Amino acid sequence: MKPQPSSVRKRRIHSWPVRISHWINLLAMIGMVMSGWGIYNADPLFPFTFPQNTTLGGWLGGNIAWHLAVMWLLAANALFYLLWGVFSGHFKRDFFPFSARSVWRDTVRALTFHLPHKLGQYNAVQKLMYSGVLLLGLLLVLSGLSIWKPVQFSGLGWLFGGFDIARYVHFFAMSGVMLFVVIHVLMVVLVPKTFVAMITGGKALNKEESADE
Ligand code: HEM
């Protein structure tokens, strides 16, 4: 087969490592959040608890067992995604650059329903949100480690200002991820073709098509 010139070379909208790790991450997040809410209920930080049917594990021991088991799936999957994202150039190419000005411009466009969606190209709001949720994930992991093993990770615990504050940090990072998911899913609902592409990989577009869609 004749090699194609680079200007017409085709590429999928979402590569298979991004798709697989995205959907495994969703499953792992559901497990982590539901078991985490169960653990929270045993010793609430605020004057509310989560409904029992939104928790996973049945009782505190079960909640903790689920949380620590799913944690390994989440960690392995995140490591795979991060390594692939860095070494394939995906993060550099698709998440950057963005600026305060471009985020503001695209936020206004999104809120007035004037934001064009170019398949295979993230807008500035998406770039900010995806980079932000990765940082929130890091904060969740670090605060989680300092709560899980306060002796072994005493340095981390100290950085967070102690065990009790690390619990608040963990809770607010979880809340930030939940807020991300709500906005993220709303954006997907507004542009449903992105959902199909995140499952199938989407049609292979050449550079010109992906810029015009
Ligand atoms: C029902 C839940 C979810 C649905 C339907 C969904 C759907 C999608 C879709 C369709 C895209 C591609 C957007 C586009 O091409 O413009 C995407 C990307 C992404 N989603 Fe989700 N998502 C969900 C949950 C989550 C969760 C829980 C997280 C993390 C906490 C997450 C993180 C991301 C990230 C980081 C990307 C960018 C992936 C990359 O290019 O590397 N999503 N999601």
Side-chain angles (χ1 to χ4, degrees):
M1 201 208 287
K2 247 181 28 189
Q4 292 181 321
S6 63
S7 62
V8 294
R9 195 176 294 145
K10 306 255 177 180
R11 69 176 177 90
R12 289 230 167 256
I13 294 165
H14 298 295
S15 63
W16 67 265
V18 166
R19 284 179 278 144
I20 301 246
S21 52
H22 179 270
W23 296 118
I24 292 181
N25 179 64
L26 174 62
L27 283 181
M29 293 293 298
I30 292 172
M32 289 304 277
V33 169
M34 290 181 70
S35 54
W37 286 358
I39 300 172
Y40 166 94
N41 281 353
D43 182 15
L45 292 169
F46 301 100
F48 67 84
T49 54
F50 296 96
Q52 177 67 14
N53 58 8
T54 64
T55 67
L56 179 66
W59 64 296
L60 180 59
N63 303 144
I64 295 175
W66 270 104
H67 209 63
L68 296 184
V70 179
M71 171 185 88
W72 293 110
L73 174 67
L74 188 83
N77 188 56
L79 192 66
F80 168 72
Y81 171 71
L82 290 176
L83 286 176
W84 191 87
V86 169
F87 289 110
S88 69
H90 166 57
F91 290 150
K92 194 165 174 238
R93 186 180 58 241
D94 297 324
F95 286 15
F96 298 98
F98 63 88
S99 59
R101 184 189 289 256
S102 63
V103 170
W104 175 247
R105 182 200 60 208
D106 285 356
T107 306
V108 172
R109 283 180 178 169
L111 292 176
T112 54
F113 300 99
H114 284 105
L115 185 62
H117 189 276
K118 298 173 182 170
L119 267 180
Q121 208 177 310
Y122 294 142
N123 61 57
V125 177
Q126 284 178 296
K127 289 178 179 181
L128 172 73
M129 284 181 52
Y130 297 156
S131 310
V133 82
L134 293 188
L135 288 179
L136 276 179
L138 181 69
L139 195 60
L140 263 174
V141 169
L142 294 180
S143 53
L145 286 176
S146 75
I147 300 169
W148 178 40
K149 299 272 183 197
V151 177
Q152 290 86 337
F153 293 106
S154 55
L156 260 183
W158 177 80
L159 272 181
F160 284 116
F163 182 89
D164 292 327
I165 298 182
R167 275 194 71 198
Y168 282 97
V169 172
H170 201 61
F171 184 91
F172 285 120
M174 177 279 297
S175 310
V177 173
M178 292 295 96
L179 183 64
F180 162 87
V181 173
V182 171
I183 300 173
H184 181 55
V185 172
L186 268 178
M187 288 173 84
V188 174
V189 169
L190 286 177
V191 194
K193 64 185 173 187
T194 60
F195 180 72
V196 180
M198 199 45 154
I199 294 172
T200 62
K203 68 177 174 156
L205 300 169
N206 64 36
K207 280 187 185 166
E208 289 75 28
E209 280 175 312
S210 69
D212 295 342
E213 187 88 23

